[in-house]
Amino acid sequence: MQTAKRLEGIGEYYFSTKLREIEELNKQGKNIINLGIGSPDLPPQPEVIKTLQEESAKPNVHAYQGYKGSPVLRGAISSWYKTWYRAELNPDTEILPLIGSKEGIMHICMTYLNEGDEALIPNPGYPTYTSAVKLAGGTPIPYVLTEGNHWEPDFEALEQRDLSKVKLMWVNYPQMPTGQLPSAGLFKKLVAFGKKHGILICHDNPYSFILNDAPASLLAVEGAKEVVIELNSLSKSQNMAGWRVGMLCAAKERIDEVLRFKSNMDSGMFLPVQLAAAKALMAGKEWYDSVNAVYRQRRDKVVHLLQLLDCRFSTEQAGMFMWAKIPAKYKSGYALSDAILYNAAVFITPGGIFGSAGDDYIRVSLCSAEAKLQESIDRVKTFLKQ
Ligand SMILES: Cc1ncc(COP(=O)(O)O)c(C=O)c1O
């Protein structure tokens, strides 16, 4: 069957192909340790599960839900933004709960991009930005992030391009895959850039609580709502990736615009999931500290693994990965990843899947127990001795 034109140039998501290969290797008895995907292995808080259990046992919670989400969840998101990010959001008009933030990326592109419109995409960055822009008929324009510029946009270089067709700019701090935290002035510069050129700045913010004591929102910048949409998620910070709960936060006009698309695509989430998500957002600092204590110990192991591999990296990274530069003896991150996969039965993500600027890097996930990370270290040691 001929697929639609919009799928031209859109491949299967890298991880879905790679996971199939890993499955094949496992069938051959290889027992691969997968340090690729950032899916938290720790559970959500116990009260969250209890809320889901209790609420779903009620007889009157099983109907379709409103397109704008439960007021309880929107209220909890508004309080969460105020408490942690010092950003004021009207729970009735400026918050749209999502079935995960990934769908929000698509909704934004479908809402704003016409054929021929351009969207600035970070290289390296989350691959979904590019595919969503293409699927919506827009043209992705990569902007390169470099280690030398702290993985932040080079605004001078951007100013020199023709920006007349650029409608959106995707940004994401803490940055995935580089783990870079935003520098003090970055968010203000982004808002000013958006205002100057009439570009909607789309900030994807799912990692701000992981290995980071100062969560930050682009919406906390004065005047940001004129040009910013922010996506956020419970997948990483609340250990709820499989629950599919995210949010889109912006001025009322943007929420209404996106809702015109989204309400034709899907319907409201299961109410008990929304109520449990609201509970999750009420967690205090101790919860985030307890999760981060686990990630810190794992990071020590990953540091050891990366040192064994002669990689170079910053220890100031936030988020649930370690991003590292490969040594010159490997042609690319792909070569290192394959060498480790086929010789040590450990899978590490090659940085090149996040864009050409990631070619000489690898990304290691912190979503495996310490014992697994130790086992990876042992396997890599054995391989290196051969
Ligand atoms: C940068 C980035 N944005 C968004 C997402 C999607 O998260 P969600 O589970 O909320 O759809 C991910 C998930 O890996 C991510 O890395």
Side-chain angles (χ1 to χ4, degrees):
M1 183 70 80
Q2 183 74 40
T3 55
K5 260 185 117 161
R6 73 178 66 83
L7 279 183
E8 279 171 16
I10 308 274
E12 192 181 344
Y13 195 54
Y14 169 85
F15 277 117
S16 118
T17 323
K18 203 69 194 177
L19 285 178
R20 248 199 329 271
E21 186 188 348
I22 292 173
E23 219 172 277
E24 265 322 298
L25 291 168
N26 282 336
K27 275 191 202 147
Q28 296 161 23
K30 294 276 196 284
N31 185 22
I32 307 292
I33 297 179
N34 186 346
L35 304 183
I37 285 189
S39 180
D41 56 319
L42 300 169
Q45 304 148 77
E47 312 88 81
V48 175
I49 315 249
K50 193 158 154 248
T51 305
L52 179 69
Q53 284 170 334
E54 286 173 2
E55 293 297 330
S56 56
K58 294 179 181 169
N60 58 345
V61 295
H62 303 280
Y64 283 119
Q65 293 300 308
Y67 293 104
K68 291 178 89 164
S70 151
V72 176
L73 177 54
R74 281 187 271 113
I77 292 172
S78 172
S79 306
W80 188 62
Y81 257 77
K82 193 172 176 148
T83 308
W84 293 97
Y85 297 120
R86 309 249 171 275
E88 298 280 345
L89 295 173
N90 182 327
D92 295 325
T93 57
E94 296 181 327
I95 292 169
L96 181 61
L98 299 174
I99 308 172
S101 63
K102 191 174 186 177
E103 74 150 12
I105 298 171
M106 193 68 210
H107 294 332
I108 291 171
C109 291
M110 291 299 278
T111 301
Y112 294 106
L113 294 176
N114 282 318
E115 200 84 24
D117 284 342
E118 295 178 348
L120 295 170
I121 309 282
N123 172 15
Y126 185 44
T128 298
Y129 308 138
T130 302
S131 31
V133 167
K134 284 190 191 163
L135 284 168
T139 307
I141 306 288
Y143 61 93
V144 173
L145 306 175
T146 61
E147 199 172 336
N149 202 33
H150 307 288
W151 306 108
E152 292 191 351
D154 179 346
F155 289 99
E156 273 178 33
L158 284 174
E159 292 283 354
Q160 274 159 27
R161 326 179 56 118
D162 173 11
L163 297 171
S164 58
K165 289 194 194 141
V166 175
K167 194 127 187 235
L168 309 180
M169 177 181 193
W170 283 100
V171 285
N172 150 238
Y173 291 91
Q175 219 265 340
M176 200 294 296
T178 62
Q180 180 69 51
L181 280 162
S183 66
L186 176 65
F187 281 4
K188 276 192 183 156
K189 280 191 215 159
L190 282 168
V191 171
F193 181 74
K195 284 188 183 174
K196 181 172 171 193
H197 298 284
I199 294 173
L200 191 57
I201 307 291
C202 304
H203 184 226
D204 184 24
N205 195 13
Y207 291 104
S208 53
F209 285 79
I210 313 287
L211 293 177
N212 178 24
D213 290 330
S217 163
L218 195 47
L219 288 168
V221 173
E222 217 186 304
K225 279 183 205 159
E226 285 173 44
V227 286
V228 169
I229 293 184
E230 184 163 280
L231 295 175
N232 216 318
S233 172
L234 277 72
S235 292
K236 326 283 179 180
S237 304
Q238 277 71 29
N239 292 335
M240 291 168 71
W243 292 56
R244 311 311 299 137
V245 187
M247 66 204 76
L248 190 152
C249 306
K252 175 182 186 302
E253 294 75 15
R254 301 293 88 70
I255 298 287
D256 292 345
E257 288 154 2
V258 172
L259 203 50
R260 275 168 60 198
F261 177 76
K262 178 173 156 63
S263 59
N264 282 293
M265 278 297 299
D266 53 36
S267 301
M269 269 175 282
F270 185 40
L271 182 61
V273 166
Q274 298 195 53
L275 299 175
K279 192 66 153 190
L281 294 175
M282 291 168 198
K285 188 171 179 305
E286 337 67 67
W287 154 257
Y288 297 107
D289 285 350
S290 68
V291 175
N292 281 320
V294 174
Y295 282 128
R296 263 192 204 95
Q297 284 178 329
R298 292 177 178 183
R299 184 168 60 181
D300 291 345
K301 292 278 176 205
V302 172
V303 161
H304 188 171
L305 178 67
L306 291 171
Q307 283 167 340
L308 275 177
L309 291 168
D310 266 340
C311 290
R312 202 171 46 68
F313 50 89
S314 154
T315 48
E316 307 283 290
Q317 299 180 38
M320 47 182 50
F321 306 100
M322 283 290 279
W323 178 248
K325 178 123 194 217
I326 58 165
K329 67 180 167 210
Y330 292 102
K331 234 173 58 200
S332 68
Y334 289 101
L336 192 159
S337 171
D338 281 347
I340 299 302
L341 177 61
Y342 302 128
N343 298 298
V346 174
F347 175 65
I348 287 176
T349 307
I353 74 155
F354 304 105
S356 55
D359 273 348
D360 292 338
Y361 294 82
I362 51 169
R363 190 197 75 170
V364 183
S365 165
L366 302 179
C367 298
S368 288
E370 265 186 86
K372 278 255 181 260
L373 294 169
Q374 184 57 52
E375 169 75 19
S376 311
I377 291 169
D378 296 341
R379 289 185 188 185
V380 167
K381 266 188 192 159
T382 310
F383 159 57
L384 292 174
K385 271 192 215 140
Q386 284 163 11

